[in-house]
């Protein structure tokens, strides 16, 4: 993997695009092969039943969530470790609903695996969107498309003919459901947070943006490399059980001033330079210059919008216990090209 050192973050040395290898099965290989062979037909059946039949039936939100939990249950994704900022364990039921994403709110989720979208759908039933690195608009997609996105090559710009819309318009269209955004725009191996899309800046004023981090044990069910279907299915279906660690931060209010912003631009700049690596700041400052010829571009972001993105990125990094990266979608495109050439050889 030394040839991929150029795709390591300069500040931390972390490589967010390399796949996490599955531990050798060893003497457990017969058991794991048996589990895989038993689960695979059942997994295909429950997935096909939901996406071809049940999601089109009038079974209500509760019925759809129960069906999605069946999909999660086949590979034994049972142990859900959920923590919410500001809420002690065991007291979540006694808290106000404002602690969790709900209708009218926005979920800014980490993006590492197809399980991310299935879990969010089973819990919050959101409207899924696809974000792009330098666009304030998002593409409205279905749950199935969100799952396929986790296996798709990275894309800097929306494909030709793609209809995009800002979050404020989408929120008015679906007032009774939260909106899920994957602001990193492409999958990683969960070891870092990529620069966030300015699409979050398209949220209406005073909208609540909930950073949500999802991490897995074992960690090899992530899909940072496109089209890794076989590797993912083997890692998912051959293990006895899987654990999801879910962390939800306090809501970031869109349009609200960031803490300490009244101290002036010089103080804000000094704070950011002490918090982030120079390569991340370079990426952030160049957002308006990159991709300036496509529709829906971010343009020059205001200080308050940059501060809001920093708050969300900080929260995702803190929840996942990782660092923010200077590498983005463009770097992942280069990584995928090199990875594919290596695989062909």
């Amino acid at each position: 993997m030394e040839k991929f050192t150029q795709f390591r973050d300069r500040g931390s040395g972390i490589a967010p695009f390399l796949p996490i290898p599955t531990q050798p099965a060893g003497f457990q290989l017969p058991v794991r092969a048996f589990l895989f062979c038993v689960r695979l037909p059942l997994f295909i059946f429950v997935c096909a039943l939901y996406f071809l039949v049940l999601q089109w039936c009038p079974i209500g939100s509760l019925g759809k969530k129960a069906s999605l939990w069946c999909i999660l249950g086949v590979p034994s994704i049972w142990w859900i470790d959920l923590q919410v900022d500001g809420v002690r364990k065991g007291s979540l039921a006694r808290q106000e609903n404002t602690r969790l994403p709900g209708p009218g709110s926005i979920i800014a989720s980490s993006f590492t695996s197809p399980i991310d979208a299935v879990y969010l759908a089973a819990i919050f039933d959101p409207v899924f969107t696809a974000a792009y690195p330098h666009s304030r608009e998002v593409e409205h997609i279905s749950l199935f498309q969100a799952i396929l996105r986790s296996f798709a090559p990275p894309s800097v710009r929306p494909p030709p003919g793609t209809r995009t819309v800002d979050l404020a318009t989408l929120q008015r269209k679906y007032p009774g459901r939260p909106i899920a955004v994957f602001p990193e725009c492409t999958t990683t191996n969960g070891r870092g947070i990529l620069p966030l899309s300015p699409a979050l800046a398209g949220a209406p004023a005073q909208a609540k943006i909930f950073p949500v981090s999802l991490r897995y044990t074992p960690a090899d069910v992530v899909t940072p490399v496109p089209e890794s279907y076989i590797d993912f299915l083997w890692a998912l279906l051959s293990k006895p059980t899987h654990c999801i660690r879910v962390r939800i931060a306090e809501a970031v209010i869109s349009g609200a001033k960031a803490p300490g912003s009244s101290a002036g631009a010089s103080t804000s700049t000094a704070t950011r330079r002490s918090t982030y690596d120079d390569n991340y700041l370079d990426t952030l400052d160049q957002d308006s210059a990159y991709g300036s010829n496509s529709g829906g571009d971010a343009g020059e972001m205001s200080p308050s919008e940059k501060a809001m993105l920093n708050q969300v990125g900080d929260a995702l990094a803190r929840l996942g216990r990782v660092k923010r990266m200077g590498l983005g979608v463009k770097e992942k495109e280069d990584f995928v090209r090199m990875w594919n050439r290596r695989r062909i050889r």
Side-chain angles (χ1 to χ4, degrees), residues 18-297:
L18 289 176
I20 297 178
T22 300
Q23 292 184 352
F27 66 90
Q28 295 182 344
L29 181 59
V31 176
R32 292 181 59 178
F34 174 77
L35 287 175
F36 179 81
C37 294
V38 170
R39 285 173 170 172
L40 181 61
L42 184 59
F43 186 72
I44 294 175
F45 172 76
V46 295
C47 289
L49 180 64
Y50 177 79
F51 289 109
L52 296 180
V53 179
L54 294 181
Q55 73 167 342
W56 310 109
C57 296
I59 57 177
S61 177
L62 186 60
K64 291 181 179 180
K65 289 182 178 181
S67 302
L68 291 171
W69 275 112
C70 290
I71 295 177
L72 294 174
V74 171
S76 295
I77 305 177
W78 297 114
W79 308 108
I80 312 295
D81 178 17
L82 172 63
Q83 290 187 18
V84 181
D85 274 1
V87 178
R88 291 184 300 176
K89 285 187 176 182
S91 62
L92 182 60
R94 299 192 296 272
Q95 300 293 322
E96 298 179 0
N97 292 334
T98 54
R99 293 287 188 177
L100 294 173
S105 63
I106 296 169
I107 300 171
S109 174
S110 59
F111 196 21
T112 61
S113 171
I115 306 172
D116 297 341
V118 179
Y119 176 81
L120 292 176
I123 297 297
F124 302 112
D125 188 27
V127 176
F128 286 98
T129 63
Y132 295 91
H134 304 283
S135 173
R136 290 177 180 264
E137 297 185 344
V138 296
E139 178 187 355
H140 179 200
I141 60 177
S142 65
L143 169 59
F144 187 68
Q145 289 174 313
I147 294 172
L148 293 182
R149 289 267 174 170
S150 63
F151 295 105
S155 179
V156 172
R157 297 182 179 86
T162 300
R163 298 180 60 181
T164 59
V165 65
D166 59 34
L167 291 176
T169 302
L170 202 59
Q171 192 180 67
R172 289 193 297 268
K173 186 176 180 180
Y174 298 96
R177 299 169 64 186
I179 299 172
V181 183
F182 299 106
E184 295 176 276
C185 306
T186 187
T187 53
T188 69
N189 56 17
R191 293 178 174 172
I193 299 297
L194 307 185
L196 304 188
S197 167
L200 292 176
Q206 302 304 310
K208 292 183 177 181
I209 303 174
F210 287 89
V212 177
S213 172
L214 298 100
R215 293 293 181 266
Y216 303 95
T217 304
D220 55 3
V221 291
V222 297
T223 56
V225 176
E227 301 178 357
S228 54
Y229 302 102
I230 303 300
D231 293 340
F232 170 75
L233 287 174
W234 170 256
L236 180 69
L237 300 178
S238 66
K239 303 287 182 62
T241 187
H242 299 268
C243 175
I244 305 181
R245 186 173 67 88
V246 184
R247 300 291 183 267
I248 303 177
E250 293 185 3
V252 176
I253 306 301
S254 175
K257 291 184 178 180
S261 59
S262 60
S266 60
T267 303
S268 176
T269 301
T271 301
R272 288 199 300 272
R273 287 193 181 276
S274 65
T275 304
Y276 310 117
D277 297 326
D278 288 341
N279 54 342
Y280 176 76
L281 289 173
D282 295 341
T283 302
L284 190 64
D285 292 339
Q286 294 171 1
D287 278 352
S288 60
Y290 184 77
S292 58
N293 296 324
S294 60
D297 287 334

Side-chain angles (χ1 to χ4, degrees), residues 293-313:
N293 296 324
S294 60
D297 287 334
E300 186 66 28
M301 297 186 67
S302 67
S304 61
E305 291 173 335
K306 289 184 178 181
M308 184 268 290
L309 288 183
N310 285 338
Q311 281 185 275
V312 176

Side-chain angles (χ1 to χ4, degrees), residues 323-337:
K323 294 185 178 181
R324 301 179 69 177
M325 305 283 100
L327 303 173
V329 177
K330 181 64 172 62
E331 287 74 19
K332 184 172 178 180
E333 283 187 327
D334 297 337
F335 167 82
V336 170
R337 282 194 290 268

